[in-house]
Amino acid sequence: MKAQLTRRFGAAVAETDHHEKWQRATLACALVARDSTGALRQADALERWLSGRFPEGCSTTRTLASDDELLGR
C-alpha cells in the first residue's frame, strides 16, 4: 500500500501504528503542492482511491500546513 501511494500520488508514506498487523494499518501520508487548492485536490484524489480499495472501511484525517508553519516562521 505504501509503495502504491508513493507511485500513484507522489506521497511520502510511513506506517505509524499497528505495525506488522495483517488486517490493519495506520499510515501517515505527506503531499506537497504549490498552493492549498492543489494540495486539497491531491488529498481528495488519494482519499477517493483509498475508499475504492477499501470499501468496507477506512478513515482519514487531514492537516493542511504552509511552509511557514512547518519551518516555524
Side-chain angles (χ1 to χ4, degrees), residues 36-73:
S36 61
T37 303
L40 293 173
R41 197 173 304 132
Q42 282 183 297
D44 288 342
L46 190 146
E47 285 184 6
R48 279 192 306 274
W49 187 81
L50 281 173
S51 294
R53 298 275 298 178
F54 301 100
E56 66 282 350
C58 84
S59 64
T60 59
T61 303
R62 292 186 190 187
T63 302
L64 181 62
S66 70
D67 58 343
D68 288 335
E69 291 172 311
L70 295 172
L71 297 172
R73 293 188 219 166

Side-chain angles (χ1 to χ4, degrees), residues 10-41:
V13 183
E15 186 174 359
T16 59
D17 200 2
H18 305 104
H19 301 278
E20 306 303 325
K21 300 250 179 179
W22 183 68
Q23 294 180 332
R24 185 172 184 177
T26 300
L27 302 178
C29 299
L31 300 167
V32 177
R34 292 183 186 268
D35 56 27
S36 61
T37 303
L40 293 173
R41 197 173 304 132

